Amino acid sequence: MLLTEAQKKIFLHLPVYTPTLLALTDPAMTALVLRVDSLQSFKQKRLRLQVAIAGYEHDGSHLACVAFRVYDNEDNPLEGDANLNPRQESDRKALDLLTRQDRLPFIFLSADLVHSVDKTVSWQPASRAAAQEVFDHSKNIGLLSGSFDPEFQRAKDHFQSLKSVKDLLALK
């Protein structure tokens, strides 16, 4: 995976294992990108992946949450979630792509961003429909000019207090 220099700087400043939904240009689709300390366990030929998407609105702020589970270790799978803020231009683009794609790439990056392991999971029609619902509800809101959105953060915190990753994945 080719990251821009700006993306590399961002990923290197994020803690390892911080999931990010990133709109790719070639091919045009959104991927879940995760920098990890070791790629070894993600190289399994039949690595099992599970995803679910949920939309949420709180006090006028919308979000799309993609929860995931990676069975890199059957006894203790890796779980997490990544959120999109439709008021951020890059997140809105990533959300728009999620309404049209039929696969969700997972890209595991080495800690130094030199090596990667790519896997994909089916992105079902129900997932596209859920992404479309969030996209449609947030279509008429303006874009932010800054990088921090306190209203989105409040909505995200409220959503996370209501639903855990396990809850979201159990609904699927």
Side-chain angles (χ1 to χ4, degrees), residues 11-12 14-18 33-37 109-113:
F11 275 103
L12 288 172
L14 290 174
V16 175
Y17 293 100
T18 301
V33 182
L34 192 64
R35 188 168 67 105
V36 298
D37 51 14
L109 297 171
S110 61
D112 61 2
L113 306 179

Side-chain angles (χ1 to χ4, degrees), residues 141-153:
I141 61 174
L143 292 174
L144 295 176
S145 56
S147 61
F148 182 71
D149 181 355
E151 293 170 11
F152 172 77
Q153 189 61 48

Side-chain angles (χ1 to χ4, degrees), residues 42-113:
F42 303 102
K43 292 180 180 180
Q44 300 172 38
K45 192 168 232 155
R46 297 180 192 260
L47 184 66
R48 204 161 49 104
L49 306 166
Q50 182 182 5
V51 294
I53 183 171
Y56 185 68
E57 183 271 331
H58 179 71
D59 290 340
S61 257
H62 297 268
L63 66 85
C65 175
V66 175
F68 66 91
R69 183 175 291 135
V70 180
Y71 290 92
D72 58 320
N73 175 339
E74 286 294 327
D75 297 328
N76 187 23
L78 173 65
E79 296 179 337
D81 64 357
N83 297 279
L84 294 173
N85 179 354
R87 291 171 36 132
Q88 296 286 353
E89 186 175 2
S90 60
D91 283 8
R92 187 179 296 195
K93 180 179 178 183
L95 181 60
D96 182 34
L97 291 169
L98 286 175
T99 68
R100 294 180 266 133
Q101 63 194 59
D102 60 0
R103 309 284 299 153
L104 179 66
F106 275 68
I107 302 170
F108 302 98
L109 297 171
S110 61
D112 61 2
L113 306 179

Side-chain angles (χ1 to χ4, degrees), residues 53 64 95-96 98-99 123 126-136:
I53 183 171
L95 181 60
D96 182 34
L98 286 175
T99 68
W123 190 244
S127 298
R128 290 191 296 276
Q132 186 69 53
E133 187 174 337
V134 175
F135 188 79
D136 289 346

